[in-house]
Each structure stands twice: as C-alpha cells, then as structure tokens.
Amino acid sequence: MSLVPMKLLLDKALEGKFAYGAFNVHTTNEVKAAIEIHETFRSPVILQIIEFATGFIAGREDFLNATLEEKIEGIKIITEKVKEAAKKTDIPVVLHLDHGHDKELVKACIDEGFTSVMIDGSYLPFEENIALTKEIADYAHKKGVTVEGELGVLAGREDNANHSGSLYTDPNKVCEFFEKTGVDCLAISYGTSHGAAKGKDVVISKEIAIASYENMKFKNIKGSLVSHGSSTVPKYLVEGINKLDGKLKNAHGIPIEQVLEVVPYGIAKVNVGTDIRLAITRYIREYFKNNKNIDDNSRVGQIKKIIEDRPELIDERVYLYPMYDSVISGTGKTTEENDILECVEKGVKEIVGQLIVKYGQVGTSELF
C-alpha cells in the first residue's frame, strides 16, 4: 500500500472516539517492527521521525549538530526506506515529521514524500507561531500533506527542546489558532512532558483538552488534538534496566488511564518515543548479560562499552552508532549484529503492541 495522509486516520479516530499511537522510530529495523506489529493487529501505522533524528539517519554521530543539508539527506534515506516497506504491506502507513522547527527542512520533508509534518512554532509569540504555521499549512495542503501545529510548551527534554516548565495551552486560543493557520491537528500542552522523567504521581490537566474540544465543537472546527510526551515509562522496564546495571533515576511516565480518559475529547493521536527506547535498551542489556564473550574490539563490543560507560543512557541512536551502516541497511554484518537488530525489533513490538490495544485502534485498517 502507498503512504497515506495522516488526516485520513485522524478523522476516523475522531468519529470512533479512539486514538492512534504515533511512534518515534530512528532505524530501519524500528520501521520494520512497527509495521509488522500493526499488521498483526490490523491497524494503520503512524511512523514519526523527529527533526534531529534525520541527522543520525544521514550518518552524523553528533546528530544534534547536523547541518540542514545532512538532515535533508537523512530525510531522503528514511523516506525511501518507509516507501519500500509500505509497498509490502496492506495496512495504511503514515510518515510524519515530529517537531519540525526549521521551515526549510519541513518543506523538504513535504517535497520528498512525507505524508504529514509538524511545524513547531510553540516557542514563538502567538502571532508569529500562527504566521509560521500558516505558511507551512498552505505549502503542505497544496500537495495533500497533513499539518500539525503546537500551542503551548511541553516540559522535559527531546533532542534540541529542553524546557524546565510547561506553558499550558489556553483553550480560548485553540479555535483562533485553527482558523488562522488551517492546520489539521494541534498538539496541546496539558501536563504531559518529553523524556523519561515526567514527575512522580503526575496528573494531567484534562480540563484543557476538554475545554479545547468543546470550543472547537461550538465553532464547528473539524480538527483533532494531539497528546505529546505521552510515554508511560513502565515501572517494570525501569526496574529491569537497573537490575542489568543501568542507572535510571526519577523515571516516571504518564499513567495510561489519564490519557485514555481524554481520548473521547478530540485526542486522536498520542505520541510515544521514550517507552520504545526503554524496551530496546532492556533487551540489549539482557543480550550482553547472556553473551559475555563478545569481542571487545568488534562493533558490538563497542556498543557494549558505551552502555557500560553510560548506565543512564537509553537513546539507541547514541549507543548503536558503531554499527550505523547495519542499522540503516537493516541487516547486520555478523551474527552478533543481527542479534542486536533483533533486540531492537523486539523492543518496538513489546511497547507498540500493548498500546495499539489500549488506544482502541485494533482492526481499524478495515476502515480504509
């Protein structure tokens, strides 16, 4: 099946009062695993690429410092990989840019074949955010591409975003933002946050989502809302990593029950990234525990050393870099490298499979 615009999925989710999980992926094997587990549950899949991950995909080790040219090269690589995978499946596949800040990069994604993009102008004053978002929406809609904006600022850390506190979305400005920008969906800030340290016993402000949605209904605005920073940070994964010599501290997520409670109020898309990283890291730490004779001079041995030296690390883009070419091709050069890639796929399937069921998207590929 070919790639489809994300709006097609979001409209169905709004009608059925369920949500689609949108999963951040960084490697070919993560793409493969995410599609396969969605096939199992007969659900469309939303694959998200965060802006700075494109630098990693292009081969830049310090990907946070990637140039625009390198990021665009990464866009071309991942678009080709996802298009190839989409042709082999019967489920709808969305390729979405998550947290695009550079408008030239966002436009490059649209030109290369992404079917959905997020332009994040949340760091700008309200009117400047509107102007930037409208520019991208006008450009994208001419090519049938879905556009997501953001209003309000989430706390936490995600690549280049690092905010100590939230700036909650004002529900009274949501309708104005939709009307002036023409976006298809809007990420709101209502107490979720990026990263694994979301705070113990966090309680999201569901009233913000409800009020935003009710205002939209009153104004007859046919858009949807998006919940960012919604990883649950399962306790069993944190404990499992720490038992395997990891050192994760203050790792707490958003209780899934709280997210599900607001899904009927316009939340049609729920972003998840950290949970996948946790599961992958747990599987890889287990692999090294059970395979103590890895050659220290091999590329897998280098991965082991990175993990040992940085017990707090869960970002697979960092520790998998020694076998970067295998990560991008999807096939290892040795048995051990293929074992590592299998760990990556298992981690994706463990998390994504759980959430597909909880979000209520099982069987929804039949709607398309």
Side-chain angles (χ1 to χ4, degrees):
M1 193 169 189
S2 59
L3 298 177
V4 302
M6 189 168 69
K7 188 177 186 301
L8 296 179
L9 277 62
L10 301 186
D11 288 348
K12 294 296 184 183
L14 284 175
E15 291 172 13
K17 294 190 180 301
F18 63 90
Y20 281 106
F23 302 103
N24 288 101
V25 292
H26 307 116
T27 72
T28 299
N29 295 86
E30 289 172 38
V31 168
K32 174 176 176 287
I35 291 176
E36 287 179 353
I37 196 66
H38 278 80
E39 287 174 333
T40 299
F41 288 101
R42 296 176 180 266
S43 170
V45 56
I46 301 175
L47 302 173
Q48 295 195 150
I49 312 297
I50 195 166
E51 178 177 321
F52 278 82
T54 60
F56 167 79
I57 293 166
R60 180 76 182 251
E61 184 173 7
D62 59 335
F63 51 87
L64 293 182
N65 295 314
T67 65
L68 176 61
E69 291 74 20
E70 288 169 328
K71 292 177 189 176
I72 291 175
E73 180 60 27
I75 288 166
K76 292 178 179 179
I77 292 170
I78 197 64
T79 303
E80 180 181 353
K81 295 293 184 182
V82 173
K83 283 182 177 179
E84 288 176 359
K87 290 177 183 177
K88 300 175 184 177
T89 184
D90 293 329
I91 63 171
V93 178
V94 172
L95 178 57
H96 174 73
L97 175 69
D98 187 26
H99 284 287
H101 292 90
D102 186 319
K103 67 180 181 181
E104 297 308 317
L105 178 123
V106 176
K107 289 179 180 179
C109 287
I110 295 167
D111 294 341
E112 290 297 329
F114 275 56
T115 54
S116 180
V117 294
M118 178 191 183
I119 178 65
D120 183 357
S122 61
Y123 58 95
L124 297 170
F126 183 63
E127 293 298 334
E128 291 181 32
N129 187 0
I130 285 176
L132 174 63
T133 306
K134 183 180 187 305
E135 178 182 346
I136 294 301
D138 289 346
Y139 188 87
H141 288 160
K142 291 176 183 177
K143 300 190 177 187
V145 174
T146 304
V147 178
E148 175 182 336
E150 182 167 349
L151 188 58
V153 178
L154 268 69
R157 180 174 182 84
E158 184 170 27
D159 283 353
N160 67 321
N162 187 11
H163 302 288
S164 59
S166 295
L167 177 62
Y168 281 0
T169 301
D170 182 350
N172 294 315
K173 291 186 175 181
V174 166
C175 291
E176 181 182 358
F177 194 86
F178 268 103
E179 290 170 338
K180 289 186 174 180
T181 63
V183 290
D184 304 292
C185 55
L186 180 65
I188 59 171
S189 173
Y190 68 124
T192 58
S193 60
H194 295 301
K198 302 179 189 297
K200 189 175 183 181
D201 301 322
V202 65
V203 177
I204 62 175
S205 298
K206 64 181 182 181
E207 296 82 7
I208 293 175
I210 294 171
S212 298
Y213 182 61
E214 292 299 331
N215 287 343
M216 291 166 64
K217 286 203 302 182
F218 180 76
K219 288 287 192 77
N220 197 32
I221 292 173
K222 304 296 183 182
S224 54
L225 302 175
V226 178
S227 182
H228 278 232
S230 301
S231 282
T232 62
V233 188
K235 184 178 180 181
Y236 79 93
L237 285 177
V238 174
E239 291 178 345
I241 289 170
N242 287 343
K243 286 179 181 177
L244 294 163
D245 299 321
K247 290 185 179 179
L248 302 185
K249 299 178 180 179
N250 302 316
H252 304 283
I254 304 297
I256 186 69
E257 296 78 13
Q258 293 188 37
V259 175
L260 295 179
E261 192 174 358
V262 294
V263 164
Y265 299 98
I267 299 288
K269 172 173 171 272
V270 182
N271 286 15
V272 174
T274 298
D275 287 354
I276 293 173
R277 292 175 174 182
L278 290 168
I280 291 172
T281 301
R282 193 276 319 277
Y283 272 110
I284 288 178
R285 283 189 170 274
E286 284 180 339
Y287 176 77
F288 286 131
K289 178 184 178 181
N290 297 326
N291 295 270
K292 298 183 183 299
N293 295 323
I294 298 293
D295 181 357
D296 290 343
N297 295 318
S298 68
R299 302 201 301 180
V300 172
Q302 293 174 45
I303 293 172
K304 180 181 179 182
K305 187 176 189 309
I306 292 172
I307 288 178
E308 289 175 344
D309 290 346
R310 298 183 61 183
E312 79 290 349
L313 184 63
I314 62 170
D315 190 340
E316 77 277 21
R317 293 172 297 181
V318 176
Y319 60 73
L320 290 181
Y321 190 80
M323 50 179 276
Y324 159 78
D325 54 346
S326 294
V327 162
I328 298 304
S329 71
T331 303
K333 295 182 179 298
T334 64
T335 299
E336 290 77 14
E337 287 189 14
N338 283 320
D339 289 342
I340 293 295
L341 295 179
E342 183 178 1
C343 289
V344 170
E345 293 185 19
K346 285 181 178 179
V348 172
K349 291 182 177 181
E350 177 177 338
I351 293 301
V352 175
Q354 295 178 47
L355 295 177
I356 287 173
V357 174
K358 291 178 180 178
Y359 294 152
Q361 63 190 87
V362 175
T364 58
S365 61
E366 308 300 327
L367 299 174
F368 298 90

